[in-house]
């Protein structure tokens, strides 16, 4: 792992960034993002002095953008209050975005503080090892598992114990088919001994996924595309996107978009043809993006509206855009036509991605 030094103590800043990026995200996805992030913000001080937009741009495509905003706030607070990340669990818990898991992971791995860090993988291992029934997500069971994890903590290598539990869960103690025959703790595992690995923890029932529609306007002017910085909090909060409106049902999408644009831009807008449809899987819902080509004859200047900008194609890479929004721009016609040059049509990737998506936001 690029955040684990071949020798010597780990760098708390690197441990923290990796732990935050790994939340809800697969290891192989995280590694290239982590490398780029560290190249751009190599130290806590470099991160603390960054603009939010730069940090969100570095997170662009990784999803769960609240993580990026919290990283920036926590870096500024830690630098102002402690001159760096504090080597204390209570002080870490005061920083934005730090819950018991992140504080425990940074404290134990980076500072060698004997504190537990129970993520979903470690919770599954602990449940099976000690034969604790019930859903690992309940607060009561989480407290019980943390207490059990504490009994395993080795005071001189707490970070190694925490990481071992997490990696055992990620590699062998899998949710559906644990590889007990290869497990180094099988002899001590209550669920294995009693043939209960299929019921501890109980299989999760999948909630029915409801769709959420997003009607978006593709407005071009002089080779630039109108983007809107969505207010926080909420879906894609703080990120740039095509202006649009969220809908709980599909009916009347075009009219609702026209109304929203009038209220939002203070001018009447012609909503034309639908030029792209994409479906992206969010954690609990399927997001259906419908992009309409729009014209806004009276749009004037955007002074006094820092949440709106006409962005040139080469600016798009520098802005914090969710992956879903990049795909919507690609699929609806790619980058805008630059006067005097050949038109850039939908990219091959954009065409392939029309229809069912399947990744996170
Ligand atoms: Fe998990 Fe099986 Fe190992 Fe028990 S023996 S900890 S169930 S992999």
């Amino acid at each position: 792992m690029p955040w684990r030094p071949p020798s010597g103590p780990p760098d708390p800043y690197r441990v923290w960034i990796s732990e935050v990026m790994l939340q809800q995200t697969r290891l192989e996805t995280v590694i290239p993002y982590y490398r780029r992030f560290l190249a751009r913000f190599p130290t806590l001080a470099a991160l603390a002095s960054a603009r939010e937009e730069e940090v969100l741009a570095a997170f662009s495509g990784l999803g769960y953008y609240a993580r990026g905003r919290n990283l920036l706030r926590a870096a500024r607070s830690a630098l102002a209050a402690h001159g760096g990340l504090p080597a204390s669990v209570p002080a870490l818990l005061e920083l934005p975005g730090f819950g018991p898991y992140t504080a425990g992971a940074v404290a134990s791995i980076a500072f060698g503080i004997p504190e537990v860090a129970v993520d979903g993988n470690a919770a599954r291992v602990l449940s099976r090892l000690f034969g604790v029934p019930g859903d690992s997500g309940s607060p009561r069971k989480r407290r019980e598992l943390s207490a059990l994890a504490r009994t395993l903590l080795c005071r001189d290598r707490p970070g190694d114990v925490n990481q071992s539990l997490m990696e055992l869960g990620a590699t062998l103690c899998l949710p559906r088919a644990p590889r007990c025959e290869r497990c180094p703790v099988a002899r001590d595992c209550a669920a294995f001994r009693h043939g209960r690995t299929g019921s501890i923890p109980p299989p999760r029932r999948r909630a029915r996924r409801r769709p959420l529609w997003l009607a978006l306007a593709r407005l071009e002017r002089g080779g630039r595309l109108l983007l809107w910085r969505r207010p926080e909090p909420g879906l894609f909060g703080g990120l740039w996107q095509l202006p649009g409106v969220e809908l709980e049902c599909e009916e009347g999408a075009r009219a609702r978009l026209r109304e929203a644009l009038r209220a939002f831009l203070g001018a009447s807008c012609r909503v034309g043809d639908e030029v792209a449809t994409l479906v992206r899987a969010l954690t609990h819902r399927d997001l259906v993006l419908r992009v309409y080509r729009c014209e806004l004859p009276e749009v004037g200047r955007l002074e006094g509206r820092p949440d709106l900008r006409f962005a040139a194609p080469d600016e798009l890479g520098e802005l914090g855009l969710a992956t879903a929004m990049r795909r919507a721009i690609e699929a609806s016609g790619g980058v805008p036509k630059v006067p005097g040059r050949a038109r850039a049509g939908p990219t091959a990737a954009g065409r392939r991605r029309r229809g069912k998506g399947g990744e996170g936001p």
Side-chain angles (χ1 to χ4, degrees), residues 252-265:
R254 193 181 262 114
R256 299 272 304 279
L257 177 60
R258 192 182 303 115
E259 271 169 40
L261 290 171
R262 189 184 301 120
F264 170 71
L265 298 169

Side-chain angles (χ1 to χ4, degrees), residues 31-54:
I31 288 176
Y33 278 93
Y34 171 85
R35 290 190 199 282
R36 281 197 296 273
F37 195 92
L38 262 287
R40 190 147 185 192
F41 311 111
T43 60
L44 186 85
L47 176 59
S49 62
R51 286 180 297 117
E52 183 178 285
E53 205 165 291
E54 293 176 279

Side-chain angles (χ1 to χ4, degrees), residues 124-130 165 168-169 171-174 177-193 196-198 200:
R124 187 168 55 256
V125 173
L126 291 162
S127 299
R128 287 172 172 164
L129 200 56
F130 291 97
L165 285 170
L168 186 57
T171 54
L172 295 181
C173 195
L174 303 172
R179 299 179 188 157
C180 303
E181 70 290 349
R182 293 179 51 201
C183 179
V185 296
R187 216 180 45 180
D188 300 309
C189 176
F192 177 59
R193 281 206 316 267
R196 297 191 61 197
T197 56
I200 298 180

Side-chain angles (χ1 to χ4, degrees), residues 147-177:
L148 290 169
R150 215 168 279 285
T151 67
L152 298 178
L153 265 192
C154 155
R155 298 199 79 77
D156 48 341
R157 291 172 65 191
D160 287 352
V161 174
N162 286 334
Q163 290 181 91
S164 302
L165 285 170
M166 293 187 247
E167 285 191 29
L168 186 57
T171 54
L172 295 181
C173 195
L174 303 172
R176 270 194 287 269

